[in-house]
Amino acid sequence: MTHPRREIFQLHANLCAALGDANRLLVLYELARQPRRVSDLAAALELPQPAVSRYLKKLREQCLVQSTREGASVFYRLSDPRIIDALELLREVLRDRVEARAQLLAK
C-alpha cells in the first residue's frame, strides 16, 4: 500500500473509533437537532457533565463537532451534518442484518 493511501485508511479508522461509543453517537444525534451547551447535552441525555465533556473532546479531535463561544457559553454543533447520513446508512445495514438473523431463527 502506498504511504498516502495508508494515511487515509488510518484517518478513516480514527474516525470510526470516535464513532465506536454509544454515548458519543447519542451526542451526535442530539447535536443534529440543534447546537447545545455541555450542560444542555448532559441534561438531555441524562449523562454526567464531565462524561459529556470527554465525549465532545473525542468528537472534536476527529473534527466531527465544533464549538463556538457566545458570551459566557460555549455551544457545540456538528461540523458536517452528513455524518448523520452516514450513521443512518450504517443503521440500515444493521437493521438488515438483524432482520436476516431473525428470519434464520424463525426457520
Side-chain angles (χ1 to χ4, degrees), residues 36-90:
R36 298 285 189 106
R37 296 176 297 183
V38 175
S39 58
D40 297 333
L41 282 168
L45 299 172
E46 298 179 354
L47 294 169
Q49 189 168 332
V52 173
S53 292
R54 286 192 305 274
Y55 301 143
L56 287 166
K57 179 180 186 288
K58 182 74 167 179
L59 295 169
R60 258 193 343 263
E61 288 171 354
Q62 294 304 313
C63 301
L64 294 170
V65 300
Q66 58 189 17
S67 61
T68 53
R69 182 170 290 281
E70 295 181 20
S73 298
V74 177
F75 284 84
Y76 292 87
R77 62 185 38 79
L78 294 179
S79 296
D80 188 331
R82 292 179 298 174
I83 193 64
I84 299 300
D85 296 335
L87 291 172
E88 287 299 311
L89 179 59
L90 288 171

Side-chain angles (χ1 to χ4, degrees), residues 29 84-100:
Y29 275 97
I84 299 300
D85 296 335
L87 291 172
E88 287 299 311
L89 179 59
L90 288 171
R91 196 176 274 200
E92 287 176 25
V93 170
L94 178 62
R95 187 173 26 254
D96 290 348
R97 286 179 54 198
V98 168
E99 288 174 5

